[in-house]
Amino acid sequence: MYRFGRSPLTRHLLLQLQRKLENSQFDRSVWYTCRMSCFDDDLRRSFLQCHLDEAASEFLDSSERTSDSFCLQIFYRIAMMVLCLFMSLTDMNGLLGRGATFIFSSNQLRKLMDTTGVRAQRQASVLDIGAGDGTVTDQMNAVFGSTISVTEVSPTMRRTLRRKGYRVLDVNNWHRNGPFHCISLLNVLDRCDKPKSLLQDIHNSLQPNEGILLLAVVLPFDPVVLKGPRKVTPSERLQVSGTTFESSLNSLVNDVLKPLGFKVISWTRLPYFSEGDLFEPYYVLDNALLVLQRY
């Protein structure tokens, strides 16, 4: 019994049961709420409350089932121990078909975009920068009703995007295809080498006075660049301060976005979900989703 109790499978099953119990007792509404007293009048007025919806619940359930597959998780761990010697995490995930993420459902995005009027333009030109495997882009497709162009650094992810039928633009020359009605930058700002230059390029590539930037960013802001298996400091640093979600969002808006010519139209707090592994059914980060207009 003692040896059986120490077996990897038993430990895995016990750990999974413990995590499921903890998750069942956790109040998931905290993923979507903010201390509104910490914001100025503009941010308070533009906040849109969201909740855990059916699409998000389905993603969490799917992640739990994947995490429960002991043999699959062991395969992933062995494969990644080898691949990490010469590949980035994004490339490994693309090759193995794992690491799915969830930022918003089409209904949640539609609720935010209804404040802009962009959705009514059925021929709107839309670009998703850093689209990954296209899972989140798929949710955007249901809202915009137009062909979405994408960029992606990872070669394995680019192949996935092409198989899905997306038009993949060159990561260095995408701005030549503008101007765009809407550009999305979803959890990319804290993972790129030159975030300020990227925001400036986006501003210049949007339709004047009406172009929309859909920005998702994990807060507090903690930038790092993945170069192959290495993590390095970005060559450009955004002046985002704060150690809490609220203080970091205030700094991002007032110290970075407004000076660069972006105005907040609406925003919400949504969890950034990513597929789990052998130890966790899923991972959650505090995410701000902002609809910004160029001015």
Side-chain angles (χ1 to χ4, degrees), residues 19-261:
R19 292 289 185 264
K20 287 183 178 181
L21 179 61
E22 292 172 353
N23 290 336
S24 67
Q25 297 173 340
F26 180 73
D27 180 10
R28 294 179 172 183
S29 66
V30 301
W31 291 336
Y32 299 86
T33 57
C34 303
R35 292 176 294 169
M36 300 307 295
S37 60
C38 298
F39 302 118
D40 60 28
D41 290 342
D42 288 341
L43 282 177
R44 282 197 293 267
R45 280 194 297 265
S46 56
F47 177 74
L48 202 57
Q49 182 67 60
C50 286
H51 306 276
L52 185 72
D53 65 3
E54 183 179 354
S57 295
E58 288 177 356
F59 178 86
L60 296 181
D61 291 341
S62 175
S63 294
E64 287 191 2
R65 289 193 296 271
T66 302
S67 178
D68 285 344
S69 177
F70 181 75
C71 293
L72 178 63
Q73 295 301 329
I74 291 298
F75 165 73
Y76 283 155
R77 286 183 63 81
I78 294 174
M80 294 179 73
M81 287 174 61
V82 177
L83 296 174
C84 73
L85 299 175
F86 53 89
M87 294 179 74
S88 70
L89 178 60
T90 303
D91 286 332
M92 287 189 290
N93 285 338
L95 182 64
L96 296 173
R98 68 172 302 278
T101 60
F102 186 96
I103 300 175
F104 48 70
S105 66
S106 57
N107 286 335
Q108 289 169 334
L109 178 59
R110 187 176 291 108
K111 187 177 178 182
L112 275 174
M113 294 303 297
D114 277 345
T115 63
T116 67
V118 171
R119 189 169 68 93
Q121 303 179 43
R122 305 308 295 175
Q123 300 303 316
S125 54
V126 182
L127 171 67
D128 186 17
I129 295 178
D133 64 358
T135 303
V136 180
T137 318
D138 295 340
Q139 299 294 327
M140 294 173 58
N141 247 336
V143 175
F144 289 100
S146 58
T147 301
I148 298 178
S149 300
V150 298
T151 71
E152 174 54 49
V153 174
S154 166
T156 58
M157 293 297 189
R158 286 200 298 269
R159 287 194 291 270
T160 300
L161 290 164
R162 289 192 179 98
R163 284 198 299 267
K164 286 189 170 188
Y166 289 112
R167 180 189 180 202
V168 181
L169 304 182
D170 184 83
V171 70
N172 295 313
N173 299 306
W174 56 265
H175 53 277
R176 296 179 182 176
N177 294 268
F180 298 94
H181 292 98
C182 180
I183 297 177
S184 61
L185 189 68
L186 306 174
N187 297 106
V188 174
L189 197 63
D190 58 349
R191 293 295 179 264
C192 65
D193 186 52
K194 297 182 177 181
K196 184 176 181 180
S197 297
L198 178 57
L199 287 172
Q200 290 171 331
D201 287 341
I202 290 173
H203 186 275
N204 294 334
S205 301
L206 286 169
Q207 291 280 1
N209 302 317
E210 63 178 26
I212 295 296
L213 167 61
L214 184 64
L215 176 67
V217 58
V218 171
L219 298 174
F221 194 67
D222 185 23
V224 65
V225 179
L226 302 177
K227 290 192 174 182
R230 297 182 300 119
K231 295 182 179 180
V232 300
T233 302
S235 60
E236 286 182 1
R237 300 282 293 187
L238 292 180
Q239 299 303 310
V240 181
S241 60
T243 57
T244 66
F245 178 90
E246 290 83 2
S247 61
S248 295
L249 181 59
N250 277 323
S251 177
L252 175 66
V253 171
N254 295 310
D255 300 333
V256 176
L257 297 175
K258 286 184 177 179
L260 288 175

